[in-house]
């Protein structure tokens, strides 16, 4: 018996296409097929196979801006050569899942990620969506004239048909929002549009959304908009929550969304340990950890200075354990929660 997916029927052609993909995967996996999957750059894997996972890292970034970035600005081989040893170090540490959070128009290149996944054996996941942080420098012009539904359709189309000519499918949606100065709990029209589009695309595709958030109140507002759009809060990840303060973090978790402390290593060890303890007490099942590390910086000599991805494994997790957090909770944070957050959800 293969697992059956019960997908909602509101989506247009995406359900049929997704069913075909998942049915094929189920057939390959045989009778033990679980009913949730993660879409990696090499194809669907059972969510249970994702393993120890870094949920917010970057292989490559190009910060030149949405209107100027293009594939001619980097060489796939050069990026792979530079980043391969850095990623191999991760594999040696027992990490198996790597969520690449670089969105389109900031250097997302599935060709690079695919090659790195093949050569390292890491489960690398890429994304669809647009990034409205950094004063919207990375939002392509066409997004301003588009409706939320039109943006959602573009992103779902990438999920169904693959990204550009690569055949690689996104495993989540990445968006970004800024806070409005002087009115930190409101979003600009374009940022609000990105959140609504992500919610609609998530409802159709069952993909998770990682939202870069400039400021806690904006992150909480985005979570509420996501829910107002009738998307599943369990599909919404508030990135960069380490700077948002506990009241906001708790409010986000209480709404059922994910709190992502993805700047581990960027604050003193003690302050991050404290943060994790405070959240793990009541909200361990809503908490994600990562480092926002990397990356090959397009335009700099050989990618510039790359920050490796080893701090969590080498320093932070041992310190967390020594400070009284159990193995079981650490497993939850590093294995179960990422699998739960990035599983393409069915039967909701
Ligand atoms: Zn990031």
């Amino acid at each position: 018996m293969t697992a059956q997916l019960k997908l909602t029927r509101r989506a247009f052609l995406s359900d049929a296409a997704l069913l075909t993909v998942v049915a094929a995967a189920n057939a390959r996996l045989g009778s033990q097929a679980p009913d949730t999957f993660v879409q990696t750059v090499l194809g669907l894997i059972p969510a249970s196979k994702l393993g120890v996972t870094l949920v917010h890292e970057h292989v490559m970034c190009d910060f030149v801006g949405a209107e100027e970035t293009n594939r001619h600005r980097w060489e796939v081989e050069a990026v792979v050569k530079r980043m391969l040893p850095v990623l191999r170090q991760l594999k040696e540490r027992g990490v198996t899942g790597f969520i690449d959070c670089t969105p389109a128009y900031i250097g997302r290149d599935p060709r690079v990620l695919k090659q790195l996944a093949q050569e390292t054996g890491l489960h690398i996941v890429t994304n669809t969506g647009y990034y409205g942080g950094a004063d919207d420098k990375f939002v392509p012009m066409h997004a301003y004239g588009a409706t939320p539904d039109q943006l959602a359709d573009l992103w779902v189309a990438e999920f169904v048909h693959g990204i550009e000519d690569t055949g690689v499918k996104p495993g989540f949606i990445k968006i970004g929002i800024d806070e409005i100065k002087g009115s930190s709990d409101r979003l600009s029209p374009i940022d609000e549009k990105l959140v609504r589009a992500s919610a609609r695309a998530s409802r159709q595709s069952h993909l998770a959304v990682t939202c870069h958030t400039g400021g806690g109140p904006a992150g909480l507002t985005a979570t509420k908009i996501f829910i107002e759009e009738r998307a599943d809060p369990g599909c919404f990840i508030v990135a960069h929550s380490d700077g948002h303060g506990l009241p906001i973090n708790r409010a986000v978790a209480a709404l059922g969304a994910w709190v992502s402390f993805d700047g581990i290593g960027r604050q003193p060890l003690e302050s991050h340990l404290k943060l994790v303890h405070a959240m793990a007490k009541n909200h361990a099942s809503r908490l994600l950890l990562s480092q926002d590390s990397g990356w090959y910086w397009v335009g700099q000599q050989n990618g510039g200075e790359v920050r490796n991805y080893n701090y969590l494994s080498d320093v932070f997790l041992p310190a967390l354990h020594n400070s009284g957090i159990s193995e079981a909770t650490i497993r939850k944070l590093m294995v179960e929660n990422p699998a739960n957050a990035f599983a393409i959800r069915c039967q909701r």
Side-chain angles (χ1 to χ4, degrees):
M1 290 281 287
T2 54
Q4 287 296 311
L5 288 169
K6 291 178 191 140
L7 298 170
T8 50
R9 286 283 142 208
R10 70 176 86 87
F12 50 105
L13 58 98
S14 60
D15 280 358
L18 181 61
L19 270 175
T20 311
V21 172
V22 174
N26 273 339
R28 276 199 303 280
L29 289 162
S31 59
Q32 296 306 307
D35 63 358
T36 60
F37 292 85
V38 172
Q39 178 73 60
T40 78
V41 295
L42 299 182
L44 289 167
I45 61 163
S48 57
K49 293 270 190 286
L50 193 59
V52 177
T53 297
L54 300 178
V55 297
H56 190 126
E57 307 292 338
H58 299 274
V59 165
M60 178 173 83
C61 292
D62 182 9
F63 296 113
V64 74
E67 300 313 312
E68 284 164 74
T69 185
N70 66 61
R71 282 181 176 186
H72 304 296
R73 288 179 40 80
W74 60 86
E75 302 243 347
V76 170
E77 289 307 324
V79 182
V80 169
K81 192 168 169 222
R82 177 72 186 88
M83 297 308 291
L84 186 58
V86 190
L87 286 164
R88 281 203 170 123
Q89 290 169 21
L90 258 189
K91 198 71 199 306
E92 286 158 13
R93 284 162 171 78
V95 174
T96 48
F98 185 97
I99 312 294
D100 189 83
C101 280
T102 298
Y105 300 99
I106 312 188
R108 176 191 66 169
D109 189 341
R111 300 169 305 166
V112 168
L113 299 178
K114 196 171 167 180
Q115 210 169 311
L116 286 169
Q118 279 162 341
E119 299 205 26
T120 58
L122 284 169
H123 300 305
I124 300 180
V125 180
T126 188
N127 63 82
T128 186
Y130 298 156
Y131 179 92
D135 293 327
D136 303 315
K137 183 184 175 191
F138 305 105
V139 177
M141 284 310 291
H142 67 251
Y144 288 89
T147 64
D149 282 332
Q150 286 168 334
L151 291 181
D153 286 353
L154 281 175
W155 301 344
V156 172
E158 285 201 329
F159 175 59
V160 173
H161 304 294
I163 296 167
E164 296 151 4
D165 57 349
T166 64
V168 170
K169 294 178 176 173
F172 68 110
I173 299 161
K174 172 77 188 285
I175 59 169
I177 55 167
D178 282 323
E179 64 179 9
I180 297 179
K181 286 180 187 69
S183 184
S184 61
D185 61 345
R186 284 182 45 236
L187 305 186
S188 68
I190 183 69
D191 288 0
E192 182 176 335
K193 191 195 294 187
L194 296 179
V195 177
R196 291 194 187 280
S198 77
R200 295 176 197 188
S202 177
R203 282 180 53 185
Q204 290 181 42
S205 62
H206 309 267
L207 290 178
V209 175
T210 292
C211 179
H212 161 100
T213 46
L220 184 56
T221 299
T223 308
K224 290 175 180 168
I225 292 171
F226 195 79
I227 294 168
E228 183 188 304
E229 287 281 341
R230 291 177 291 127
D232 178 349
C235 286
F236 197 68
I237 299 164
V238 179
H240 315 321
S241 286
D242 352 30
H244 292 174
L246 276 175
I248 295 259
N249 292 335
R250 287 184 175 136
V252 166
L255 287 171
W258 294 96
V259 171
S260 179
F261 290 163
D262 42 48
I264 304 281
R266 293 178 171 218
Q267 291 181 26
L269 176 63
E270 284 304 321
S271 80
H272 255 127
L273 288 175
K274 248 192 218 166
L275 271 180
V276 173
H277 271 268
M279 279 305 284
K281 210 168 156 197
N282 294 313
H283 299 291
S285 298
R286 295 287 94 192
L287 185 59
L288 299 165
L289 304 181
S290 205
Q291 306 158 125
D292 209 0
S293 266
W295 44 73
Y296 185 102
W297 192 311
V298 174
Q300 295 196 359
Q301 179 71 29
N302 196 27
E305 253 186 59
V306 175
R307 279 184 300 128
N308 70 42
Y309 309 106
N310 304 338
Y311 180 83
L312 248 169
S313 327
D314 291 358
V315 179
F316 192 74
L317 294 179
L320 197 60
H321 190 43
N322 286 337
S323 70
I325 298 284
S326 68
E327 289 277 0
T329 301
I330 289 175
R331 189 182 156 76
K332 185 187 278 282
L333 299 176
M334 299 309 298
V335 178
E336 293 162 23
N337 288 355
N340 190 2
F342 288 92
I344 299 169
R345 279 129 183 277
C346 311
Q347 302 181 5
R348 65 171 54 133

